[in-house]
């Protein structure tokens, strides 16, 4: 049986989405790091990366089916 290459990228993408939502939906979003970096930007970046990885995983799965 062939191993699927879909689940590893999908799980990493889900982790990025969860971390991004935690950064944006908790009071941590108003925090500023010691170097002056606002954490809400980190949350937006994690969400964007998670969505991009999910799209990439879904496109890869569709290509494997052909």
């Amino acid at each position: 049986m062939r191993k699927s290459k879909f689940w590893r990228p999908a799980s990493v993408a889900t982790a990025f989405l969860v971390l991004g939502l935690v950064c944006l939906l908790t009071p941590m979003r108003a925090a500023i790091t010691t170097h002056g970096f606002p954490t809400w930007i980190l949350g937006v970046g994690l969400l964007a990366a998670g969505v991009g990885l999910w799209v990439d995983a879904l496109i890869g799965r569709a290509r494997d089916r052909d």
Side-chain angles (χ1 to χ4, degrees):
M1 185 178 271
R2 194 180 83 165
K3 272 188 141 180
S4 174
K5 293 181 180 180
F6 171 73
W7 292 109
R8 184 171 293 165
S11 61
V12 171
T14 302
F16 271 77
L17 287 173
V18 168
L19 287 172
L21 286 174
V22 166
C23 283
L24 289 177
L25 297 178
T26 60
M28 186 174 77
R29 72 177 173 271
I32 304 283
T33 63
T34 55
H35 300 290
F37 188 75
T39 54
W40 67 268
I41 294 175
L42 174 66
V44 170
L46 286 170
L47 282 175
V51 169
L53 286 172
W54 255 110
V55 168
D56 185 46
L58 291 173
I59 289 172
R61 185 174 185 178
R63 285 185 183 154
D64 286 345
R65 285 189 175 181
D66 290 341

